[in-house]
Each structure stands twice: as structure tokens, then as C-alpha cells.
Amino acid sequence: MKLDYHNIKAEGKFTITNFQCGPSLNLLKEDGMYKIIWCNKGEQEMMVDGYDLLLKQNQVLFCTPNNIVEVPKNNQGLIAFVFNREFYCIQHNDEEVSCNGLLFYGSSTAPVISLSDKQSRSFEAMLLLFQEEFETKDRIQGEMLRTLLKRMLITSTRLLKENGLSEELSIKQLDLFRQYNILVEQHFKENHQVSDYAAMLYKSPKTLSNLFKKNNLKSPLQIINERIVVEAKRLLRNSQHSAEEIAFELGYNEASHFSKFFKKHVGISPLQYRKDH
């Protein structure tokens, strides 16, 4: 199965696929694509940003364009919803679905949510609606597909809030957590200190640290450091830049400082990581 929508004028792309053909796998290599991958039967091994991941039945993975996803050719039981920001921009439409900073850019690691039987049936129903809409070729097809995608994102965001975050988080605190994650995504290359983001949020670093600790969230500094590490690994694996060039791109004036940081968090030097991968 490979269902494609492409608005040539707006350059919007949206595809649903089960990865049973070569062109579908190539989708994962395209720049600028958000990926929602649902394992609707069995379980499937894959790699995300160089790490092994076992996606179990009725689990859903959410990946940004920055996440590098590798799926085996002989995979089974996967359904992927792949779209670019021209089709639906989660940043500009954050008020509609509130998934920015949670499903996407909410962590250095791609989040996975688990569906109950009832929730799985809801996803199956949404898939049928998507398939029906792909058969309807008219001027409002794109808008209908976006509406269905928004429904999926809203449903998934609610599930993540219910299952992955502290019940004690108020709406105001949750919004602060989301905004912190979004700011880290926007500025992690030049701002490496919690105080930088606290100032943007008009909060003290201590206030942020206490909020995150109280709700069993990763510390603000850990979020920054993990995001830098993920980007460093991506550049070491997929670019021809030298370690010195990567250090400069990530905001380090001295390559030795970057190397020390990387070794502290990964356990090996940047050059050794590149050699191993």
C-alpha cells in the first residue's frame, strides 16, 4: 500500500504506506518529512538515530525530520503516515493540535505511545477514513486529509498526556514544559545553558529545575545536552564535516571542548563514534 497526495503548487506531500515497496522505504530518507509509524500487528525491529528500537503491536512512534529512521526491507505490520511542513506545519498550527513540544520536539528521543484495544480500533477507523479520502479526487481532498491528520495528532497528544506525563502537571505547567522543549529545539546550537532558556521564558533556572524534578521529567540541562548529542551523532553519521566543523556548528569555539562534552555523554570520542558507525 502506498497512497500519495502531492500539491505541486504548495509543495505539500502526504503519504500513507506499509513499506512493502522500495519507493516507500525511500520516503524515510527524504528531507523535511515528519513520520508517524504505527505497528498494527506483531512487532518490528528498526533503528532510530542509530539506536535499536523494538516497536510492539499497537505502539506508535513519532519522528521529526531530524530523526533518522531505518526500517528493514522485509518488515511486517507497519503503517506509516509521512508528511512535510508544506502539507501541515505543526509549528504554525500549534493552537490547533498542541503537539509541538510533545509528540514532536518534546524530547531528544522520538516518543512512543501505546494504544489500548479501544484506541487501536480508533486508529483503524481513522485509517479507513484516510483510505476513502485518497480515493476522492477533488479540490478539497488536501483539506480533508489535513483534517483527518489533525484528528490523529490531537488523539495522540491526549494519549501522551494521559500516559506519559505526571497527572499533577497543570495546563500552565504543561505549556511551560512544551515551550521549553520548543525553545531548545530552536536554539540548542547557540545556547547551551539553562539560564539562557529561563530568561526567554521569564523564569529563574531554579524554578524550571524544581518544576521538572517535581513532575519526574528530565532535567532542563539534560534536555539540552541530549539534544546536542543527538545532533552531533547525526552529523557524524551522515555528513562529511570534520569534528572541528561539527563542533563549530554546534556552538563550540574549541573542538576540544566539544570532544570532551561528547565523550562525557557518549563514552567515546567523536572520531571513534564516526569510525564505529
Side-chain angles (χ1 to χ4, degrees), residues 233-263:
K233 286 182 175 180
R234 186 182 71 82
L235 291 170
L236 287 166
R237 283 168 56 91
N238 298 283
S239 78
Q240 300 300 317
H241 299 320
S242 67
E244 290 78 11
E245 290 171 326
I246 291 173
F248 182 75
E249 184 172 340
L250 294 177
Y252 291 89
N253 294 325
E254 297 290 338
S256 60
H257 294 166
F258 166 67
S259 182
K260 184 177 179 180
F261 168 86
F262 190 90
K263 189 169 184 179

Side-chain angles (χ1 to χ4, degrees), residues 59-217:
Q59 287 189 327
V60 188
L61 170 72
F62 297 84
C63 295
T64 73
N66 297 326
N67 296 123
I68 300 170
V69 183
E70 300 173 50
V71 174
K73 291 182 179 179
N74 59 344
N75 66 86
Q76 297 291 333
L78 295 180
I79 302 291
F81 306 81
V82 184
F83 63 97
N84 62 5
R85 69 188 305 274
E86 287 76 17
F87 178 77
Y88 188 75
C89 180
I90 62 166
Q91 287 92 349
H92 292 169
N93 297 293
D94 187 53
E95 291 185 2
E96 292 183 337
V97 295
S98 300
C99 66
N100 197 18
L102 287 177
L103 294 179
F104 303 106
Y105 304 116
S107 171
S108 58
T109 55
V112 174
I113 62 172
S114 297
L115 307 177
S116 67
D117 290 342
K118 180 180 178 181
Q119 292 157 354
S120 178
R121 289 193 294 271
S122 176
F123 263 64
E124 289 170 357
M126 282 189 278
L127 176 59
L128 288 175
L129 291 174
F130 273 119
Q131 290 172 322
E132 289 177 1
E133 192 55 43
F134 270 104
E135 295 174 359
T136 305
K137 305 294 183 181
D138 58 22
R139 290 187 300 172
I140 60 172
Q141 183 191 40
E143 193 55 45
M144 284 295 293
L145 290 172
R146 270 187 290 275
T147 298
L148 293 172
L149 178 62
K150 284 189 282 187
R151 177 182 173 183
M152 174 174 283
L153 292 174
I154 291 171
T155 299
S156 301
T157 301
R158 287 173 174 169
L159 291 175
L160 182 64
K161 289 178 181 178
E162 291 174 5
N163 302 325
L165 297 172
S166 170
E167 294 181 359
E168 297 179 2
L169 268 176
S170 66
I171 294 176
K172 187 175 181 180
Q173 290 172 332
L174 178 61
D175 188 58
L176 181 63
F177 174 63
R178 289 203 313 123
Q179 290 303 317
Y180 182 83
N181 286 328
I182 292 168
L183 287 172
V184 169
E185 181 61 32
Q186 293 172 341
H187 302 288
F188 72 90
K189 291 183 179 180
E190 63 268 18
N191 293 323
H192 298 174
Q193 303 300 320
V194 175
S195 57
D196 298 324
Y197 299 95
M200 295 179 202
L201 293 165
Y202 303 101
K203 302 290 182 182
S204 71
K206 187 175 181 180
T207 296
L208 291 179
S209 296
N210 289 341
L211 170 65
F212 284 40
K213 183 177 181 180
K214 178 182 177 182
N215 291 282
N216 296 317
L217 302 169

